Amino acid sequence: MKLHSLAAVILLATLVLNHVSLLATSMEPLYQWTSTVELQVPGVALTPNGYIGTMSKLIVTVAWPGKGIVYFSADPLTELDTQAAARMAALIASILAGVNYYSYDYFIRLESNTSIVGGPSASGAMAVAILAALRGINVPTNFSMTGMVDPDATLGPVGGIPQKLEAAARAGVKVFVIPIGERYSTDLNTGEKVDIVALGRELGVNVIEASTIADAYEIATGDKLTPKNVTLDISYPPWLVSSLNESINFYKKTARSNMTCAEEALSGLSTSLASSLVDILRDAKHNMDVGTKLEAAGKLYAAASRYFAAAIETTYACNTAKAYSSTNPLQVLTKLSMSYINETTAILQNVENKFNESLRANMTSITDVQLQLYIASMTRLLDANSSLNTASALLGIAEKAASYQALQALSRALQAAIYAYYRALTANHWLTLALQAADDGEPINLDLLYRSVETYTYFAESAVNYLQTLGVNIADTAEQIALAKDVIQRGMERRDPVKVLQALAYTVKGLADVNSQLHAVFNTGIAVLDASKRSLSVLLQRLADLNVTLILPLLYTEYADTLVDVNAKLGLYVQSSSYALLLALVANKQAGTPITALQGGEKCSSETMTVTKTTTIVNTTTTTVEKTITVTSTTTTTETISKTVAGETGSTRSSPTLQLLSYVLVAGIALAVGVASERMRRQP
């Protein structure tokens, strides 16, 4: 019994001390500075009579110092993808403002009188409002806008603009910004095209098309964020120039050798087969001619890419011509395909082994330069593996097919195997560069890398969801993003850098695909092309000003500039922007303090900031309004959390009263323990 009493006293002491310790350390760092901006934003609601425009109040507060946390709440309802888009809006705004994203917290609240239907069309307004708050600038009450934020900091296309404009006019809006290329937008109820500028004149609203978040911000505030023309200097370090020249020489020599081989073998082929191979060789010659011009102009990565394509085409033509010139084309095609598959498998296994050894052993000291080279290798590794799987599957089909179908399957298998082989070579090449670049660049923050990749993955998922609500079939991209989400979750759990890079490669490719398809749906690709390049130039210039060594974004930009295909150019610009944003986040070199030169913002005295934790349940239904449109309805519950902010920062401290209380409790417990021990000592 006496032992039990002592145990109880000790237990009480432990509990009290733990409680006091918890109270003393649970107080979070306090905000010194906040800035709030309010903005009217339009949305679309579905009623029994069809779609109508509605207005919501967007309230954005940025607070410093923070941890890069985005608090999003909506009342009464919100779309699932709005939450991921809010985080991307904060990322874009912080980069454009030239501040450190992780030095602030972002409080975003959307208040509406009706449940909102549609995609992340308020994310562009969020980016503008956050940017204004960071720069201490107010937005006029008669301004509103619609459009989604894209990773390249452009203002992306959205639906329901006629309904949104009508709602904005009813709310007293006089200036209304829409994404470029959407002047003629579809009415959700009639399916007819509407001239939004003309409709705006009828309603007394000045409708302005904006191509980028920066443009929309300048229209809203009059604050000139960037010069209109930013000249980007694309130059590479000497070791990269040397490497690109080596690649050019290798692929040029390979293409020429296989070109000769194919031309010699063509004479023994039938006219129809020879004709198809001649077309391939003609395209290869075009790539080599373009490569020669690009090489002379100093565009080395673009030149190497052209020679790379020519090498693949001529290798396929040479091997196919040899196979069909033989007495048993089926057997020769099978043998050639297996040879390339086996050789590629060996190369990829070696690359994967080096990845695992180098990254898992040295990830704590990886630099921003190495990160870009690792990413370049990983994207090519995954691409090679995908083509390798395709080649193997086609071989399996050929085994069960009749003669003609077998020949077709084997030809495609050989093509996929050859592509996989050359892709594997480039994966090994970029990984070798990464291993040699240990002393180049600045160390990155690994925790920020993990968080950034996770943000990208969820934003890509939200973009996929938005496209699906528009009725677009993007099953392949959705599968790719789902795979990225699974990989990043496993990578985060195990702190596995290889998995994280895999997820990043899947996600950025998925973002590029989604962006291209989104512009295809709204037919805005050509209109936004110049804007995407201009916006990308601003992002890259921001990084250059911070002395971040740019490699991957510059390589992709250089190659994109030489292409003609709109979707291909946009895809590369989006990938370049995505990697630029990533570098800005993980390099962590931006200004960490508020822009105090401006008059906006407030120093904080003690106050309580309310944060709403949002839990969202999504149900997808199909509603018919003259045509079938899939609508995502969302049920949201909120939980209020209070966070105290005050005008002093520093190490975490408890109050004098709390300290005194802890001393009294400890002294009392010590006395009780002493008395109990003395009584026990005196017992026989």
Side-chain angles (χ1 to χ4, degrees):
M1 181 68 180
K2 295 164 185 171
L3 288 174
H4 290 168
S5 298
L6 179 59
V9 170
I10 294 174
L11 177 60
L12 174 62
T14 302
L15 291 174
V16 172
L17 286 173
N18 283 342
H19 183 65
V20 171
S21 175
L22 180 62
L23 288 174
T25 59
S26 63
M27 298 182 66
E28 298 185 10
L30 308 175
Y31 294 133
Q32 278 189 310
W33 179 91
T34 65
S35 179
T36 298
V37 168
E38 294 187 8
L39 183 63
Q40 295 188 83
V41 293
V44 176
L46 180 61
T47 72
N49 297 320
Y51 288 96
I52 63 169
T54 64
M55 295 302 289
S56 302
K57 180 190 289 186
L58 175 65
I59 307 169
V60 167
T61 296
V62 294
W64 177 87
K67 299 179 180 178
I69 299 174
V70 177
Y71 299 92
F72 177 83
S73 68
D75 184 17
L77 300 174
T78 180
E79 291 288 347
L80 177 64
D81 49 22
T82 305
Q83 300 173 54
R87 190 177 297 182
M88 182 59 73
L91 290 176
I92 294 291
S94 65
I95 301 300
L96 292 177
V99 302
N100 189 331
Y101 168 79
Y102 290 106
S103 291
Y104 294 81
D105 286 336
Y106 309 84
F107 301 84
I108 303 172
R109 180 165 176 78
L110 197 60
E111 298 177 353
S112 177
N113 293 325
T114 60
S115 58
I116 303 168
V117 176
S121 60
S123 61
M126 290 178 191
V128 168
I130 294 170
L131 185 52
L134 286 169
R135 291 177 63 83
I137 301 291
N138 289 323
V139 176
T141 57
N142 65 353
F143 171 85
S144 185
M145 64 177 290
T146 187
M148 66 180 290
V149 64
D150 281 337
D152 58 355
T154 56
L155 189 63
V158 293
I161 294 182
Q163 281 73 26
K164 293 174 181 177
L165 174 58
E166 291 170 349
R170 291 194 298 268
V173 169
K174 296 302 179 184
V175 178
F176 189 66
V177 165
I178 64 173
I180 192 169
E182 290 207 279
R183 173 173 177 171
Y184 299 96
S185 297
T186 302
D187 186 297
L188 292 179
N189 294 317
T190 66
E192 297 178 353
K193 289 289 185 180
V194 176
D195 184 341
I196 302 301
V197 173
L199 178 60
R201 280 197 296 267
E202 294 176 10
L203 298 173
V205 180
N206 181 20
V207 177
I208 304 174
E209 290 182 277
S211 54
T212 68
I213 297 299
D215 290 343
Y217 168 79
E218 292 180 7
I219 294 169
T221 64
D223 179 30
K224 297 298 181 182
L225 187 65
T226 59
K228 287 297 179 185
N229 297 311
V230 177
T231 302
L232 184 64
D233 177 27
I234 296 182
S235 59
Y236 306 121
W239 56 266
L240 183 55
V241 172
S242 175
S243 174
L244 290 173
N245 279 320
E246 288 178 8
S247 295
I248 286 173
N249 293 332
F250 173 76
Y251 292 115
K252 185 192 300 184
K253 181 179 179 180
T254 301
R256 287 174 176 170
S257 174
N258 283 298
M259 179 79 73
T260 302
C261 162
E263 289 173 341
E264 291 175 351
L266 283 177
S267 58
L269 300 180
S270 64
T271 304
S272 59
L273 181 58
S275 177
S276 65
L277 292 180
V278 165
D279 289 340
I280 292 174
L281 291 178
R282 185 181 296 114
D283 191 57
K285 287 179 180 178
H286 172 72
N287 277 322
M288 293 181 70
D289 290 341
V290 173
T292 300
K293 294 177 181 178
L294 292 172
E295 184 181 359
K299 299 182 182 297
L300 301 184
Y301 179 72
S305 298
R306 292 288 186 167
Y307 289 127
F308 172 79
I312 293 172
E313 291 167 328
T314 56
T315 301
Y316 172 73
C318 170
N319 282 281
T320 301
K322 283 182 177 180
Y324 279 94
S325 298
S326 69
T327 57
N328 192 339
L330 281 173
Q331 186 180 40
V332 175
L333 284 172
T334 301
K335 184 177 180 180
L336 286 170
S337 297
M338 285 302 303
S339 176
Y340 277 106
I341 287 174
N342 291 336
E343 192 167 355
T344 302
T345 300
I347 296 172
L348 292 179
Q349 186 61 58
N350 180 53
V351 171
E352 289 174 1
N353 289 340
K354 287 196 292 185
F355 248 119
N356 291 329
E357 292 172 4
S358 61
L359 273 178
R360 289 173 179 148
N362 304 310
M363 196 61 184
T364 54
S365 59
I366 187 174
T367 67
D368 53 0
V369 170
Q370 282 185 300
L371 175 63
Q372 295 174 77
L373 299 174
Y374 278 131
I375 291 171
S377 178
M378 179 59 74
T379 56
R380 288 153 179 79
L381 172 65
L382 296 177
D383 196 14
N385 269 319
S386 177
S387 291
L388 197 62
N389 291 335
T390 299
S392 298
L394 287 168
L395 280 180
I397 292 173
E399 289 179 0
K400 303 174 183 178
S403 179
Y404 178 72
Q405 287 79 13
L407 280 173
Q408 286 186 317
L410 286 172
S411 294
R412 291 166 56 202
L414 178 60
Q415 193 171 28
I418 289 172
Y419 178 82
Y421 168 74
Y422 281 106
R423 258 296 176 238
L425 290 180
T426 60
N428 185 64
H429 174 78
W430 288 104
L431 181 56
T432 300
L433 284 180
L435 298 177
Q436 294 172 350
D439 297 329
D440 293 297
E442 298 293 332
I444 65 168
N445 186 312
L446 294 182
D447 288 332
L448 298 187
L449 174 63
Y450 293 148
R451 288 175 60 183
S452 300
V453 175
E454 186 179 37
T455 295
Y456 273 32
T457 303
Y458 280 93
F459 179 74
E461 182 184 43
S462 74
V464 166
N465 291 339
Y466 180 46
L467 269 176
Q468 289 174 332
T469 64
L470 297 175
V472 181
N473 182 8
I474 51 169
D476 291 343
T477 304
E479 183 179 349
Q480 181 172 281
I481 298 303
L483 178 60
K485 187 176 178 181
D486 177 65
V487 171
I488 188 60
Q489 287 175 344
R490 287 187 282 123
M492 294 281 283
E493 290 170 1
R494 303 173 188 174
R495 305 292 289 177
D496 186 341
V498 177
K499 294 295 183 186
V500 171
L501 288 183
Q502 287 177 356
L504 178 63
Y506 284 131
T507 298
V508 172
K509 178 62 167 59
L511 279 173
D513 292 343
V514 168
N515 187 268
S516 295
Q517 293 183 70
L518 188 63
H519 285 294
V521 169
F522 290 101
N523 195 28
T524 54
I526 295 177
V528 81
L529 195 58
D530 289 340
S532 183
K533 173 61 186 299
R534 180 163 55 88
S535 185
L536 171 60
S537 297
V538 171
L539 291 177
L540 296 183
Q541 188 60 56
R542 284 278 192 269
L543 288 176
D545 292 342
L546 295 169
N547 295 319
V548 174
T549 304
L550 296 171
I551 295 177
L552 210 52
L554 292 185
L555 293 174
Y556 287 171
T557 301
E558 178 193 295
Y559 186 42
D561 288 344
T562 68
L563 299 178
V564 176
D565 183 82
V566 172
N567 287 335
K569 288 174 79 78
L570 273 177
L572 283 172
Y573 285 152
V574 170
Q575 290 185 59
S576 181
S577 298
S578 298
Y579 290 129
L581 286 175
L582 180 73
L583 287 172
L585 293 171
V586 300
N588 208 21
K589 287 185 176 182
Q590 295 156 290
T593 55
I595 306 174
T596 54
L598 298 174
Q599 297 301 313
E602 297 180 355
K603 291 184 177 179
C604 297
S605 57
S606 294
E607 59 180 277
T608 298
M609 180 173 290
T610 300
V611 183
T612 304
K613 179 181 178 182
T614 306
T615 304
T616 307
I617 304 170
V618 179
N619 299 299
T620 301
T621 58
T622 300
T623 305
T624 302
V625 185
E626 296 195 8
K627 62 178 182 177
T628 300
I629 301 175
T630 302
V631 178
T632 304
S633 62
T634 310
T635 303
T636 303
T637 60
T638 58
E639 175 186 347
T640 300
I641 307 168
S642 292
K643 180 169 183 175
T644 302
V645 293
E648 183 177 353
T649 60
S651 59
T652 303
R653 296 175 297 178
S654 57
S655 67
T657 302
L658 189 59
Q659 290 177 342
L660 178 60
L661 175 61
S662 66
Y663 295 151
V664 172
L665 287 172
V666 170
I669 292 168
L671 178 61
V673 171
V675 170
S677 299
E678 179 62 18
R679 287 179 177 175
M680 290 181 64
R681 186 181 65 79
R682 293 179 181 179
Q683 296 296 323

